[in-house]
C-alpha cells in the first residue's frame, strides 16, 4: 500500500486504513509481550496493546456511526519532546528492559501520529478532516504521556 502526500481518502477508506494500522501496531505489541522476559517491560507493552484495542474499537464505532463524537476527544495537538528522534528504534528481544520497551512503544505511537496527521492534512477542507485531526490530537496526547513517563524515569537532570 502506498501512501501519497496530500491525498484525501473517503471517510470509510481512511478509517479502514486506520484500522489496519492500529491492528498492525497491536500485533507488534503482542509479539513483543510474548518475547520480553522483563516483567516491567511486559507491563508497558501490555498497556500499549490495550490502548490499541481501545483505538480500534473507537474506529469501528466511527465506521458504524459515520463519525466520532467531538466531545470525547482532545481539540488540540499536544506539544511533544520528539524523543523518538533521540531514541534508537529497534526490535525487542527477550532481554529487553522497561527502557527499551518504552522507547519501542514511543516509536510505534509516533508512526501512528504521523499517519493521522497525513490523513488530516490530506483532507484539509473536507468534512472528514476534523475527525482525522481529532484522532491525531488523541494520539499526540498518548505520545506526550509516554514521553513524560520516559523523561521521569530515564532522563536525568544535569
Amino acid at each position: 500500500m502506498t501512501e501519497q502526500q496530500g491525498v484525501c481518502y473517503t471517510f470509510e477508506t481512511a478509517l479502514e486504513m486506520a484500522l489496519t494500522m492500529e491492528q498492525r501496531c497491536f500485533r507488534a505489541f503482542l509479539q513483543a509481550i510474548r518475547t520480553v522476559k522483563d516483567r516491567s517491560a511486559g507491563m508497558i507493552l501490555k498497556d500499549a496493546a490495550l490502548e490499541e484495542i481501545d483505538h480500534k474499537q473507537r474506529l469501528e464505532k466511527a465506521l458504524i456511526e459515520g463519525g466520532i463524537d467531538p466531545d470525547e476527544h482532545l481539540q488540540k495537538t499536544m506539544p511533544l519532546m520528539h524523543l523518538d528522534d533521540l531514541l534508537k528504534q529497534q526490535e525487542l528481544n527477550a532481554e529487553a528492559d522497561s527502557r527499551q520497551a518504552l522507547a519501542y512503544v514511543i516509536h510505534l505511537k509516533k508512526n501512528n501520529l504521523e499517519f493521522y496527521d497525513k490523513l488530516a492534512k490530506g483532507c484539509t477542507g473536507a468534512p472528514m478532516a476534523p475527525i482525522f485531526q481529532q484522532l491525531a490530537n488523541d494520539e499526540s496526547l498518548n505520545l506526550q504521556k509516554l514521553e513524560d513517563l520516559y523523561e521521569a524515569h530515564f532522563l536525568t537532570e544535569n
Side-chain angles (χ1 to χ4, degrees), residues 31 44 57 104 134:
Q31 181 60 41
I44 289 167
Q57 183 180 25
Y104 182 75
Q134 286 176 344

Side-chain angles (χ1 to χ4, degrees), residues 35-126:
T35 301
V36 300
K37 294 178 187 174
D38 183 83
R39 183 174 165 84
S40 59
M43 292 304 294
I44 289 167
L45 294 162
K46 179 182 174 185
D47 288 345
L50 291 172
E51 186 176 286
E52 294 308 306
I53 292 170
D54 180 55
H55 291 176
K56 188 171 177 270
Q57 183 180 25
R58 287 187 358 225
L59 291 168
E60 290 168 337
K61 186 176 176 185
L63 272 174
I64 292 170
E65 295 179 353
I68 295 174
D69 182 1
D71 296 332
E72 292 181 15
H73 298 278
L74 195 62
Q75 297 303 313
K76 62 179 183 146
T77 301
M78 299 304 294
L80 300 172
M81 291 182 273
H82 300 286
L83 286 180
D84 60 300
D85 294 338
L86 302 172
L87 303 172
K88 181 179 177 186
Q89 186 171 2
Q90 60 186 13
E91 291 297 316
L92 296 179
N93 61 37
E95 304 309 314
D97 61 13
S98 58
R99 183 179 192 152
Q100 292 166 314
L102 191 51
Y104 182 75
V105 172
I106 287 171
H107 279 290
L108 287 179
K109 298 303 271 176
K110 175 65 177 191
N111 292 341
N112 292 3
L113 174 59
E114 289 172 352
F115 173 82
Y116 289 125
D117 272 340
K118 283 181 186 177
L119 283 179
K121 287 178 179 133
C123 291
T124 301

